[in-house]
Amino acid sequence: MKKSTAEESRSHKAQVVVDRLGKKLNRQIVGSMVACVHCGLCTDSCHYVLSNPGDPTYAPAYKADRIRKIFKRHYDWTGRVFPWLVGAKTVMTDEELEELKDISFGKCTNCRRCSLNCPMGVDFATMNRMTRGLLVSVGIMPEGVATVSKDQWELGNQMGVLKEDYLETLEWMEEELQDELDDPSAKIPVDKEDCAVVYSINPREAKYDPRTIGDAAKIFHAAGEDWTMPSDGWDMTNFGLFSGDDELGGAVARHLFDRVQELGGKKLVISECGHGYRSTRCEAPNWAKYDVPFEMESSVETMLRYVKEGRIKLDKTRNSKPVTFHDSCNLARSCGITEEPRELLNLVCTDFREMYPNREENYCCTGGGGAMSMSEYTPRRLKSGKVKAEQLKATGAKVVVTSCHNCVDGLTDVIRHYELDMEVTQLVNLVAEALVIEKPARVPTVVEDLPLAGRRIVVADDEPDQLLYLATVMEDYGATVYQAASGDEALTLVRKEKPDLVTLDLAMPGRPVTEIYEVLRSDSELEGLKICIITGRPEMRELIYQRMETPPDGYLDKPLSEDDLLRGVRKVLELSHQEV
Amino acid sequence: MSDFLHFSEHTLQEVALVFMACVYVTRIVWFLRFAAGKERQGQTGSGATSPTKGFIYSWANVAMPWAMESTRTKPSLYVQFVLFHLGVTTAIGLSFVIPYAPALLENGLLVLILQIVIGLAFLVGVRRFIRRVSDPYMRAISTPDDYFSLLLLTAWFFFAVLAVPNNSAGGEWHLLMYFWLTAFFLVYVPFSKISHYLYYPFTRFYFGRSMGYRGVYPIRRVHKAKTS
């Protein structure tokens, strides 16, 4: 068939997007395409709009119209007959697709708040996910999305955690647990068959926040649960939800579901993660066309059930700071989980305060929709967090709890950027803290024995307060610490003192830390040197992790508590309890 | 009544109505040819939510301004919505009453009520047009159809107010304008945003059913006194 003039001059990618759009349409999507009356009621529901007054390009209806106009031009005959009247317009160039990318990935977190505020029932978030999928299918996406998707395709988890690192982390957490409880029977069982519960986690837990794994294990142990973690197929997150790639979504989910079946698990418990729960529990069976034969539940429901069944006892006075709760978009607006976390919170802390608005009307943490992986949009994301910051501040709470790992990172960034006096934690941490275990936990001797004794550490940070804090903590635990205020200083000290470990802040004056890192890794005289990144700029972590050199031995997010710092440093130095 | 006015009230309307019905049927058939997405996963949420409750809640949403933040926090816009659509319904009804039951309009009180209802809708139309033109957010999302439809509807309300008494003693121009605009709308509506009511039951059904299935609808309003 002869191509029209327009088709001939359209770029290949634009033509593919136009063609594939037709294949993505179902009745719900078409309804959302044709039903908008441009009433503008959705405008103020978007946190981007509220935080960027005067810029109408953030308005949900405006953003929706960027894809809607293509639909109307090619698939709706009113747009084909009267394109000028209904705002129908085709897409011709790759540059126009890039503009669509900027809207779809950079100006929307798919939080679905506008969908719930549309009088017509237009589900913009679903349309936007479809748009992302179309762009991803022609390779137009933020670099971070490409990287994470690749990791999930190739390594089976979205943070590229290697199997040995994951298993090592589980072993380490098991040792910590046994030590804390003074109970060698406290285990993190791996690949145990026919268990009542198979526990799946977010790779962020293995990579950056192993404390949550330890805390969950403590709770399972206290509840006497028959549980296990898979050695493979353990990632319950699914970047297909963010990238709009149903194929990736289906493949990731099938991997997890198959593993649970192979292990003969009765129930899949999904750790606290908004998108992980939504994608695994709600979307994945559709993407994978998989009739899941076992039960699935959020760990929030599991913990609450344990309390109700009398399997664990809690002492809420152990969590006495004022606490508020941030509802994850995916849990509240797409899965209806709003009351369970509140019920549990009231059981584990003494001062719970609501945030307003809340539940399905809560504002996005700014990190949803995969935004944390799109570093090019970080300034925009942080600016758009203004409304969230005001909401957090108004609670007067010192701790914000959320059942989502993306929200943990998003809120941490907002708190830091807007200088709020708050910390972020999860229910699993509060429950573990409040857990009453009959046999009193032995006071760890590691502190008395100075766990870093004999270790030589170079600490590099350009913020004097941070530098002093990190150095003091490590010195208090017995380390000999050398302080550096820049990358070059750190390099000089490392070459002179030959330490066991160097910690690097990612944003320091002078030579880029990536260059310093490259020099440290390539210097044969420093072969045994451990390197740990300690940064308050998580969006910059890819600068290191995407390099050809061996990745860092550890990574810690600022702000860091004393415990987290000690735990992280010990992990990097591979110190077991026996050694200390 | 002149033959031309008679033609405008009857034959013209009937032809336009048949045209509209044909286009609407075509439109619905086109819409239904797209397969509806299905939910394969298990239901989430508490027992208070279900797909059926979800779509009923979703349909009823139009009459529950408190249900959505967007209408709860902008009561004036909701009132405008109600007045505008009451005016539309009344003006449509008028196009049947004048040709087929003109005796009803001999009741002076009824005439006054109809004129007030449609007149208020006219004022809302003017207000909406000003908002669409003056608000940068509204301008950014408006297409020529949005302006044209609103302008024409507002003009239609104006002539409907004049047409309510069904009095041609002073001339037929206002009745002719009302009926010719009505006929124009019957032909134009299926191609414009005004046909949104055709999709409303579907979009709200599917969205409501999905939200009910996922435990979100019906939304519980407990503990929300301070909601913005």
Side-chain angles (χ1 to χ4, degrees), chain A residues 25-28 30-32 34-41 43-45 49 52-56 59 61-62 65-66 71 75-78 82 84-87 112-113 115-123 277-278 281-283 285-286 289-291 332-336 338-339 354 356-361 363, chain B residues 23 26-27 30-46 58 61 66-72 74 77 131-132 136-138 140-146 148 188 190-193 196-197 199-200 202-204 206-207 209-211 214-217 219-228:
Chain A
L25 297 173
N26 64 24
R27 204 175 294 162
Q28 285 90 329
V30 172
S32 288
V34 294
C36 179
V37 288
H38 295 143
C39 66
L41 276 179
T43 304
D44 291 345
S45 63
V49 173
N52 294 277
D55 187 347
Y62 178 88
D65 278 355
R66 300 312 98 191
F71 163 82
Y75 297 100
D76 182 348
W77 46 269
T78 60
F82 309 112
W84 54 273
L85 183 68
V86 296
R112 225 175 192 181
R113 200 167 190 273
S115 305
L116 257 68
N117 274 293
C118 174
M120 291 297 298
V122 170
D123 189 1
Y277 179 80
R278 178 183 168 190
R281 172 74 174 79
C282 298
E283 311 289 357
N286 301 315
K289 297 184 171 48
Y290 200 112
D291 291 316
R333 276 192 278 277
S334 288
C335 298
T338 55
E339 304 314 307
E354 275 293 2
Y356 295 94
N358 54 50
R359 296 176 171 82
E360 72 292 325
E361 290 188 350
Y363 291 113
Chain B
V23 181
T26 311
R27 201 82 177 125
W30 168 79
F31 181 70
L32 293 178
R33 280 174 60 190
F34 292 97
K38 287 177 185 161
E39 306 261 28
R40 190 185 278 262
Q41 80 281 12
Q43 199 171 319
T44 52
S46 71
S58 183
N61 190 282
W66 60 87
M68 292 190 304
E69 182 195 82
S70 56
T71 45
R72 184 170 65 247
K74 300 181 187 75
L77 287 181
R131 176 172 173 251
R132 195 167 283 281
Y137 288 93
M138 293 302 291
I141 60 173
S142 296
T143 64
D145 177 41
D146 293 313
F148 184 65
Y188 176 69
F191 300 96
S192 83
K193 65 174 275 186
H196 62 277
Y197 59 84
Y199 307 111
Y200 178 87
F202 293 104
T203 51
R204 289 233 64 104
Y206 287 116
F207 189 68
R209 190 180 66 169
S210 177
M211 289 291 101
R214 291 171 181 222
V216 180
Y217 276 3
I219 288 173
R220 283 161 288 178
R221 285 280 152 225
V222 289
H223 316 302
K224 286 193 179 177
K226 285 195 208 168
T227 305
S228 65

Side-chain angles (χ1 to χ4, degrees), chain A residues 394-413:
Chain A
T395 64
K398 294 291 177 196
V399 178
V400 54
V401 177
T402 184
S403 289
C404 172
H405 282 280
N406 267 323
C407 296
V408 169
D409 286 339
L411 293 171
T412 301
D413 272 7

